[in-house]
Amino acid sequence: MENGETPENANEHCPGPSSEAAGKSDACQGCPNQEACATAPKGPDPDLVAIAERMATVKHKILILSGKGGVGKSTFSAQLSFALAAKDFQVGLLDIDICGPSIPKMLGLEGQDIHQSNLGWSPVYVESNLGVMSIGFMLPDPDEAVIWRGPRKNGLIKQFLKDVYWGELDFLVVDAPPGTSDEHISIVQFLQATGIDGAIIVTTPQQVSLIDVRKEVSFCKKVGAPVLGVVENMSGFCQSLTDFRFLRMTETGEHTDVTEKVIAYMREKAPEMLDIIAASEIFDSSGGGAAKMCSEMGVPFLGKVPLDPQLCKAAEEGKSCFPDQKCRVSAPALKIIIEKLMTNYWPSEMSVE
């Protein structure tokens, strides 16, 4: 428990040895350190001073949250970082999803290592103005499970914040795990003194996802983190008609691919159809989706991003969806959301841009 560090063998949801509740809270019952924590001197965590010094060179800090996993939160974090870097901002992307670090793949950085200097840990750079830090760079085997209790996860998040040398940053994007667990409490607690711009919450349209997003909004309000807005991801499946496969089902239930025939027929008989975007609802949005929920909870709705196979492919390949025209349905939607964020929250940065 040196320097107020939480012991690795502490119970889950440990309040920390420097907390006034140390050794006294319900979470402390049965912990081998309970007596030592209860009698230890209390005081401010000295690491918070080191974190404040590191974060003093970071202008804006944005948390990316989601109520559930699998809604595209990390994809949004990655593409937001690509977009901000493309505007010539200095950008850092911090992945605190300890058990499921997907950011290295989505930024095309798999297999990279972290290097240390006299200034601290150096981020891994995609471009000269886009640096990334993730536990994914520290695992000897990418298939290895990270089986850690809360205190050890919190210790690594603290180490990321106080030991990573980002230099001067315009934006630090923090990709958090889904839900409202120890990692979320820790990142807010560690960054509170340095100021958090707020959180962007990513969801899908159906009620089973929105139920948990409501909890996420409630969490933000309780810890004092402003909600910058909610993004409805996978809002309908959209794809160019020519990117579909067309199948004919036989009487035995087998499928025959007739794509070439259909495209050739359209090209000859109805060439105007070749530019049509086909759309379909994958998730039930009859309840009003994220827009209605935002209205009810009094938080901003940032917009919708369709489920675009080309965006999925860009994430798999670790690329930005913006430079070319392949992501023709998702990239414009993301641009609108990012421009709305810039206009609403960082207009001074836009004037510099």
Side-chain angles (χ1 to χ4, degrees):
M1 287 184 289
E2 186 178 353
N3 291 328
E5 290 285 351
T6 301
E8 286 192 10
N9 62 344
N11 287 355
E12 195 167 2
H13 307 301
C14 168
S18 299
S19 167
E20 292 296 331
K24 303 171 187 176
S25 76
D26 292 342
C28 300
Q29 298 302 315
C31 177
N33 310 289
Q34 184 175 7
E35 185 177 349
C37 288
T39 56
K42 307 296 185 293
D45 184 347
D47 285 335
L48 294 182
V49 177
I51 291 171
E53 290 175 354
R54 283 289 192 199
M55 293 294 109
T57 59
V58 179
K59 287 185 185 178
H60 304 291
K61 307 167 196 73
I62 311 166
L63 305 182
I64 312 296
L65 309 176
S66 69
K68 285 191 177 297
V71 299
K73 169 186 56 61
S74 295
T75 299
F76 182 82
S77 297
Q79 296 303 325
L80 173 63
S81 300
F82 276 129
L84 292 172
K87 292 176 176 288
D88 291 329
F89 292 119
Q90 296 294 324
V91 183
L93 176 53
L94 175 60
D95 180 7
I96 63 167
D97 193 343
I98 307 299
C99 294
S102 52
I103 288 297
K105 181 171 184 60
M106 291 187 175
L107 274 293
L109 298 173
E110 284 185 297
Q112 298 293 318
D113 296 318
I114 297 172
H115 299 286
Q116 287 186 302
S117 70
N118 60 334
L119 296 173
W121 290 356
S122 296
V124 179
Y125 283 90
V126 184
E127 303 285 351
S128 60
N129 65 332
L130 176 53
V132 180
M133 181 56 66
S134 169
I135 191 177
F137 300 134
M138 305 166 70
L139 300 176
D141 180 356
D143 296 331
E144 184 177 331
V146 179
I147 309 173
W148 289 3
R149 291 188 183 274
R152 193 171 179 190
K153 293 180 185 176
N154 298 342
L156 181 63
I157 293 170
K158 181 186 284 187
Q159 196 165 7
F160 277 160
L161 292 174
K162 73 183 179 72
D163 290 345
V164 175
Y165 177 68
W166 297 100
E168 299 278 343
L169 283 186
D170 295 303
F171 292 94
L172 178 63
V173 178
V174 181
D175 185 52
T180 54
S181 55
D182 283 359
E183 295 96 317
H184 306 79
I185 298 169
S186 294
I187 193 71
V188 172
Q189 176 189 347
F190 296 152
L191 290 179
Q192 205 125 45
T194 69
I196 302 172
D197 289 59
I200 299 169
I201 304 174
V202 181
T203 183
T204 45
Q206 76 276 35
Q207 287 299 316
V208 73
S209 178
L210 294 171
I211 287 170
D212 288 334
V213 172
R214 291 175 181 271
K215 298 183 180 74
E216 206 78 31
V217 172
S218 174
F219 166 82
C220 289
K221 290 179 178 178
K222 286 181 179 179
V223 300
V227 177
L228 302 179
V230 176
V231 174
E232 184 177 285
N233 196 29
M234 306 185 196
S235 184
F237 176 79
C238 294
Q239 184 171 254
S240 173
L241 199 60
T242 55
D243 289 333
F244 277 90
R245 287 178 61 215
F246 295 89
L247 306 173
R248 176 179 283 126
M249 184 179 290
T250 64
E251 293 181 358
T252 59
E254 296 177 343
H255 291 148
T256 302
D257 193 321
V258 292
T259 303
E260 289 186 11
K261 290 182 180 179
V262 172
I263 298 297
Y265 184 86
M266 283 194 294
R267 187 172 287 117
E268 179 184 352
K269 303 292 185 180
E272 67 277 7
M273 293 185 65
L274 298 176
D275 292 327
I276 287 179
I277 301 292
S280 175
E281 294 294 328
I282 300 294
F283 299 110
D284 178 23
S285 59
S286 59
K292 183 180 179 183
M293 183 215 68
C294 288
S295 176
E296 292 171 350
M297 299 201 74
V299 295
F301 177 62
L302 293 173
K304 302 179 179 183
V305 180
L307 180 57
D308 179 2
Q310 292 299 325
L311 177 59
C312 300
K313 186 177 181 181
E316 286 287 311
E317 295 176 351
K319 295 178 180 178
S320 169
C321 72
F322 300 106
D324 54 38
Q325 299 299 313
K326 291 182 180 179
C327 300
R328 56 184 296 206
V329 293
S330 55
L334 285 165
K335 281 183 179 179
I336 291 170
I337 289 170
I338 293 164
E339 291 304 319
K340 186 181 290 186
L341 285 165
M342 297 298 299
T343 302
N344 292 349
Y345 301 107
W346 308 294
S348 60
E349 302 293 349
M350 290 185 71
S351 62
V352 172
E353 178 197 353

